[in-house]
Amino acid sequence: MQVVDNLVALRTRVKNWRQQDEVIAFVPTMGNLHDGHLSLVKKAHELADRIVVSIFVNPLQFNDKNDLSAYPRTLNEDINLLSELNCDLVFTPTESLMYPAGMNKQTLIHVPGMDNKLCGLGRPGHFDGVATVVAKFFNMVQPDIAVFGEKDYQQLMLIKKLVQDLNLPVDIIGAPTRRDESGLALSSRNNLLTEKQASKASLLHQQLLDVKTALEKGSEDLDAVISGAQTQLKQAGFEPEYLEVRRAEDLELFQPEQDAALRVLVAARLGKVRLIDNIACNLA
């Protein structure tokens, strides 16, 4: 496994693979890797001949400086984990490489329809930062395939629209959310939870399941179901940001008589830690 932090070495390796007609898969990460990230790499191995993983904590997508500074950095441990999975190349660019003129002068990519709902409302500028860094990575790595986790479902939809709208030659693959035994979605942010908070965190997934069950059983009062789920979260110490049901294909508001494939999504703070999760719901 090769670890590189510059474009010359990255593009030289990718050029060699292309000359051999090898399929290249890319997994972008911000490091502090856990089993969820590693499952993306394993999925990439099923689809491609060569695997590139990036590790870069992208400051452009953080609207909270404290959140950025608190994000765990574990580069050496991450590289060791990836070496065990036979990753071919790890790309670890610096901020100056990604944004040579500084973030204030960086050209931004805006994907319409994402900043006015769900995580876009609570994190202004976040999705512009995500779209911009992902587009830059696609240009740098030039992968055939890119794998993203479904835990960040709105992000996954954003990337799919970005690729479609800009005609980028990359196939976007969504991989299922990995969970611990309690049902809590794996996340680097889970490491910031206290022991007491961690014992409560699985309630987030349970409330998603309760909403899903009510919908699939034909509940006619969705507002009451969601209100009850939010009350349960508040009583457990969460501060819900949103808990909504959206159309799965584009996260627009759904029509009960028309849309069958739905997504139940939630974001809530537990102490200082912001957690997100989602599950599929099918009314067909």
Side-chain angles (χ1 to χ4, degrees):
M1 185 179 78
Q2 185 177 3
V3 181
V4 303
D5 61 3
N6 64 88
L7 281 178
V8 172
L10 171 66
R11 287 176 170 163
T12 297
R13 193 75 183 273
V14 169
K15 181 179 179 180
N16 290 337
W17 294 335
R18 291 238 169 267
Q19 290 174 340
Q20 299 174 52
D21 293 324
E22 293 182 307
V23 176
I24 301 168
F26 174 51
V27 181
T29 82
M30 293 203 298
N32 194 226
L33 303 184
H34 50 66
D35 284 345
H37 296 110
L38 301 184
S39 71
L40 304 183
V41 179
K42 293 174 182 176
K43 181 66 175 179
H45 269 296
E46 298 174 5
L47 304 170
D49 302 302
R50 300 292 183 176
I51 312 300
V52 178
V53 175
S54 65
I55 297 176
F56 176 64
V57 181
N58 177 33
L60 200 60
Q61 70 190 67
F62 284 83
N63 59 308
D64 184 338
K65 291 183 178 180
N66 292 328
D67 197 17
L68 173 61
S69 62
Y71 195 90
R73 275 101 165 151
T74 55
L75 182 59
N76 291 335
E77 293 87 342
D78 295 340
I79 289 172
N80 289 335
L81 287 172
L82 292 171
S83 67
E84 295 174 2
L85 293 182
N86 296 319
C87 178
D88 294 284
L89 187 146
V90 181
F91 183 40
T92 60
T94 61
E95 183 177 327
S96 61
L97 174 62
M98 297 302 294
Y99 307 117
M103 289 189 295
N104 291 334
K105 296 183 179 180
Q106 171 64 42
T107 298
L108 298 178
I109 295 179
H110 175 73
V111 179
M114 287 295 169
D115 58 350
N116 62 347
K117 63 174 72 74
L118 305 171
C119 286
L121 287 174
R123 305 184 71 186
H126 169 71
F127 285 123
D128 289 354
V130 171
T132 300
V133 78
V134 169
K136 287 176 71 70
F137 272 130
F138 285 171
N139 285 329
M140 292 173 171
V141 179
Q142 299 180 356
D144 301 291
I145 298 165
V147 184
F148 292 81
E150 289 185 353
K151 183 183 77 70
D152 296 291
Y153 192 80
Q154 190 173 5
Q155 174 180 278
L156 176 61
M157 294 297 101
L158 173 104
I159 301 306
K160 286 186 174 182
K161 182 171 173 54
L162 168 74
V163 165
Q164 180 180 19
D165 288 356
L166 299 184
N167 303 109
L168 301 178
V170 186
D171 290 332
I172 305 302
I173 304 297
T177 301
R178 290 294 299 272
R179 302 181 181 278
D180 66 18
E181 294 180 354
S182 72
L184 177 65
L186 298 184
S187 170
S188 297
R189 298 179 188 274
N190 294 354
N191 295 329
L192 302 175
L193 296 170
T194 66
E195 185 175 344
K196 185 176 180 180
Q197 289 171 338
S199 68
K200 297 179 179 180
S202 62
L203 183 64
L204 207 62
H205 181 235
Q206 184 58 54
Q207 294 309 310
L208 291 179
L209 291 173
D210 289 349
V211 173
K212 169 187 168 75
T213 299
L215 276 168
E216 293 180 344
K217 286 185 176 180
S219 173
E220 296 182 358
D221 194 348
L222 179 59
D223 289 341
V225 171
I226 290 178
S227 178
Q230 290 177 324
T231 297
Q232 291 289 325
L233 291 173
K234 290 176 182 177
Q235 289 177 346
F238 286 86
E239 295 179 22
E241 186 176 305
Y242 64 78
L243 198 168
E244 296 189 31
V245 182
R246 294 276 178 156
R247 193 163 62 191
E249 64 182 81
D250 56 11
L251 294 179
E252 293 297 327
L253 296 175
F254 77 98
Q255 300 299 321
E257 303 302 322
Q258 301 176 17
D259 301 313
L262 308 177
R263 210 82 188 183
V264 188
L265 308 103
V266 65
R269 289 190 178 274
L270 190 54
K272 296 181 179 180
V273 184
R274 184 178 186 273
L275 301 172
I276 63 172
D277 200 354
N278 69 89
I279 55 174
C281 177
N282 196 334
L283 302 186

